């Protein structure tokens, strides 16, 4: 199962532990995480359900291309990192 | 005398109290995170804070123990735009205005007869209402669906924003708000329907044919007198205006001394003839006139103004005071204001004299008395 990990700065604000979830796309994987930790959603996604402007999602070291629908594919052994973008400060 | 106020700053919430030995900072919350707006709700004693993370967006938190502990509550959510719904293009920048929360710019409590009602103004310009103390929010469609919204544009920000919401103490269904840049609006039915007001306002930043267009006026801040709510003061981009008929018509005040440019205005809660401003050099410089800071007060409805300088720096003082950063307390004598340069001053004598709380704070975004 893909592993999802969040920048440690997020843990200061809300519950954001690393976890392993089912999913073939970034959207599916993150939805699985948000199902476990609903408060985390609004910190990663904006109110129109796109990735927040100053948040970056990496899959196996590469930033995802589809920030609107998060359709980028993930493999069973993929590592997904949700990080702060330097554009945010 | 009022003995407590709160500062929303670029780096957190700061609580200030009057102790026996004087005014002191007694608590901080959300350190490191921007706090653009606060609401101490007198109805239930809760303190509500808008918290704006640089990376993770805007949130709302509430405290029932004066900031000791906080619970995250719901945040306004913009409606999704339908695929066949055209984007609204900013008439100035010609860029699409995002339909997504960027900033919480106004938070006000409903009347004492409607517990749980909260109003929230945002950037981009929208008004939200909660009827359950912030557990949920609904966009106020009566304003959102007005065709005039397409003409609003940003003043000081990229997008238009609602920064002032005045709930009539006599009638909670009567709410007046102001938009930069989108004029002054009022509802008499709790937000169902809205009327564009503001006859007499003049926007000199527009071509002559558009200067009296009510829908593009840049009201920097409006404030009403609690005891006489038909009396409002307005710090406009192009001067100071006063209304005595609940914002329907405005009279320009031309006697300001030393300047009629600024952002903030505070009105005496009992005396509608008394108001305070923090004047600056218009408009491209936005500094205290001659780099000497003063608060400007009128006590006669704007016939005369007096600059109040005692205790304020008079040499090389480059403090700008944003629109939510000057407050008068309910006693009408205690005032506080904070600057973009991290200074906060307090007066206990209606502004005659000032003392500086600190010169070392983050940029101040709002000041609210408990």
């Amino acid at each position: 199962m893909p592993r999802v990990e969040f920048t440690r700065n997020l843990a200061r604000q809300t519950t954001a532990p690393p976890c392993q979830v089912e999913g073939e796309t970034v959207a599916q994987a993150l939805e699985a995480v948000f199902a476990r930790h609903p408060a985390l959603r609004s910190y990663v996604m904006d109110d129109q359900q796109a990735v927040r402007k100053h948040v970056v999602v990496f899959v196996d070291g590469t930033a995802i291309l589809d920030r609107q629908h998060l359709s980028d594919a993930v493999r069973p052994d993929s590592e997904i990192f949700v990080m702060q973008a330097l554009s945010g400060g | 005398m009022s003995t407590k106020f709160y500062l929303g700053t670029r780096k957190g919430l700061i609580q200030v109290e009057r102790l026996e030995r004087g005014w002191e900072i007694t608590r901080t919350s959300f350190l490191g995170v921007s706090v653009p707006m606060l609401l101490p709700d007198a109805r239930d004693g809760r303190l509500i804070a808008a918290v704006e993370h640089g990376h993770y967006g805007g949130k709302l938190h509430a405290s029932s123990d004066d900031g000791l502990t906080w619970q995250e509550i719901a945040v306004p959510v913009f409606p999704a735009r339908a695929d066949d719904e055209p984007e609204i293009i900013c008439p100035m920048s010609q860029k699409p205005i995002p339909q997504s929360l960027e900033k919480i710019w106004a938070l006000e409590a409903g009347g004492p007869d409607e517990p749980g009602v909260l109003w929230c103004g945002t950037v981009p310009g929208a008004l939200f209402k909660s009827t359950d103390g912030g557990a949920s929010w609904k966009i106020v469609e009566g304003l959102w669906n007005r065709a005039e919204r397409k003409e609003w544009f940003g003043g000081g920000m990229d997008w238009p924003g609602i920064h002032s919401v005045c709930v009539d103490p006599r009638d909670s269904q009567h709410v007046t708000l102001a938009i930069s840049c989108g004029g002054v609006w009022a509802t008499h039915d709790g937000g169902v329907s809205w009327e564009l007001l503001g006859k007499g306002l003049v926007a000199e930043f527009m071509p002559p044919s558009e200067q009296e267009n009510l829908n593009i006026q840049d009201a920097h801040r409006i404030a009403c007198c609690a005891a006489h709510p038909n009396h409002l003061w307005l710090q406009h981009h192009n001067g100071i205006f006063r209304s005595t008929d609940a914002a329907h018509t405005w009279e320009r005040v031309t006697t300001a001394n030393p300047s009629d440019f600024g952002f903030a205005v505070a009105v005496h809660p009992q005396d509608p003839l008394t108001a305070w401003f923090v004047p600056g050099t218009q408009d491209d410089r936005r500094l205290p006139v001659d780099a000497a800071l003063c608060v400007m007060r009128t006590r006669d409805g704007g016939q005369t103004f007096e600059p109040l300088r005692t205790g304020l720096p008079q040499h090389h003082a480059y403090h700008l005071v944003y629109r939510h950063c000057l407050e008068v307390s309910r006693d009408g004598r205690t005032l506080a204001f904070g600057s973009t340069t991290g200074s906060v001053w307090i007066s206990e004598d209606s502004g005659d004299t000032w003392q500086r709380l600190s010169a070392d704070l983050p940029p101040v975004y709002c000041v609210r008395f408990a």
Side-chain angles (χ1 to χ4, degrees):
Chain A
M1 288 192 290
R3 175 181 164 82
V4 186
E5 197 165 325
F6 297 88
T7 171
R8 280 182 297 174
N9 290 332
L10 253 179
R12 280 183 57 213
Q13 317 300 339
T14 187
T15 305
C19 43
Q20 289 195 297
V21 291
E22 298 282 356
E24 296 180 354
T25 65
V26 174
Q28 292 170 1
L30 287 183
E31 280 300 323
V33 178
F34 298 151
R36 293 183 196 175
H37 307 290
L40 180 55
R41 178 190 297 273
S42 77
Y43 286 79
V44 178
M45 315 296 287
D46 68 21
D47 55 7
Q48 303 304 306
Q49 299 311 308
V51 177
R52 284 199 173 279
K53 183 166 67 172
H54 298 308
V55 168
V56 184
V57 180
F58 291 91
V59 176
D60 300 324
T62 301
I64 64 169
L65 298 177
D66 182 2
R67 295 172 56 84
Q68 186 68 45
H69 302 293
L70 299 94
S71 60
D72 298 55
V74 293
R75 300 190 313 269
D77 61 346
S78 281
E79 291 187 318
I80 301 171
F81 284 93
V82 178
M83 312 294 288
Q84 296 176 170
L86 293 184
S87 56
Chain B
M1 188 178 76
S2 297
T3 58
K4 188 189 294 181
F5 64 87
Y6 307 94
L7 305 169
T9 80
R10 174 70 181 82
K11 293 292 179 182
L13 189 165
I14 295 170
Q15 176 178 307
V16 182
E17 285 186 86
R18 180 77 155 88
L19 307 177
E20 272 190 29
R21 56 185 179 268
W23 292 90
E24 289 190 12
I25 293 170
T26 52
R27 180 171 287 154
T28 59
S29 303
F30 308 110
L31 278 185
V33 186
S34 179
V35 177
M37 186 44 58
L38 294 166
L39 172 63
D41 190 341
R43 299 169 302 176
D44 57 10
R46 284 199 313 168
L47 179 60
I48 301 175
V51 175
E52 189 176 289
H53 298 273
H55 299 87
Y56 311 123
K59 317 292 179 200
L60 283 169
H61 295 256
S63 175
S64 296
D65 53 14
D66 201 26
L68 192 61
T69 60
W70 293 89
Q71 294 79 44
E72 187 170 343
I73 59 175
V75 75
V77 173
F78 278 68
R81 189 171 56 82
D83 289 340
D84 59 350
E85 184 183 349
E87 290 181 308
I88 290 183
I89 305 298
C90 172
M92 294 296 170
S93 67
Q94 294 300 315
K95 293 178 180 174
I97 296 176
Q99 199 157 305
S100 178
L101 178 67
E102 291 208 354
K103 182 177 289 297
I104 290 172
W105 218 19
L107 270 179
E108 297 296 342
D113 60 325
E114 44 181 18
V117 169
L118 299 170
W119 299 94
C120 179
T122 63
V123 178
L127 182 69
F128 293 83
K129 184 177 185 180
S130 174
T131 57
D132 53 15
S136 65
W137 294 89
K138 282 185 179 164
I139 196 162
V140 176
E141 293 186 350
L143 188 63
W144 179 252
N145 292 333
R146 291 291 293 244
E148 294 95 327
R149 184 167 65 87
K150 296 175 185 170
E151 297 176 12
W152 300 348
F153 53 87
M157 300 213 184
D158 287 348
W159 317 120
I162 294 178
H163 49 70
S164 299
V165 177
C166 302
V167 179
D168 189 332
R170 303 162 302 186
D171 174 9
S172 303
Q173 301 300 298
H174 176 210
V175 178
T176 307
L177 60 78
I179 305 166
S180 283
C181 301
V184 177
W185 294 75
T187 176
H188 286 272
D189 51 19
V192 177
S193 61
W194 291 84
E195 183 182 6
L196 177 59
L197 306 177
K199 190 164 184 278
L201 301 178
V202 180
E204 292 167 356
F205 50 84
M206 295 294 281
S209 64
E210 291 298 307
Q211 290 188 359
E212 294 181 15
N213 180 347
L214 302 185
N215 197 39
I216 52 79
Q217 298 296 323
D218 186 8
H220 284 177
R221 181 74 168 152
I222 57 169
C224 86
C225 175
H228 302 277
N230 281 358
H231 291 247
L232 295 101
W233 288 84
L234 190 162
Q235 175 66 68
H236 185 281
H237 191 89
N238 291 120
I240 293 170
F241 294 82
R242 179 173 172 243
S243 173
T244 58
D245 61 1
H248 284 83
T249 61
W250 296 84
E251 184 175 351
R252 189 168 187 172
V253 174
T254 58
T255 53
N257 173 19
S259 160
D260 67 357
F261 181 80
F263 292 92
V265 51
V267 180
H268 194 289
Q270 285 90 42
D271 175 12
L273 302 180
T274 297
W276 296 263
F277 303 81
V278 185
T281 301
Q282 184 159 338
D283 144 30
D284 54 341
R285 301 182 74 181
R286 306 188 181 192
L287 297 167
V289 177
D290 298 328
L293 182 63
C294 73
V295 171
M296 190 172 71
R297 179 180 63 196
T298 178
R299 288 171 145 168
D300 53 16
Q303 293 181 54
T304 60
F305 284 86
E306 49 189 329
L308 308 168
R309 302 182 184 277
T310 305
L312 301 178
Q314 298 301 298
H315 301 286
H316 290 291
Y318 302 111
H319 308 277
L320 182 66
V321 176
Y322 283 156
R323 67 194 76 204
H324 300 113
C325 297
L326 168 68
E327 274 260 300
V328 59
S329 75
R330 269 176 287 185
D331 64 18
R333 289 184 298 112
T334 311
L335 293 103
F337 72 100
S339 73
T340 54
T341 42
S343 279
V344 170
W345 289 272
I346 302 159
S347 173
E348 297 177 343
D349 53 13
S350 302
D352 288 338
T353 63
W354 296 89
Q355 54 179 299
R356 178 143 55 181
L357 170 76
S358 172
D360 303 313
L361 300 178
V364 178
Y365 293 154
C366 74
V367 177
R368 301 214 73 165
F369 278 95

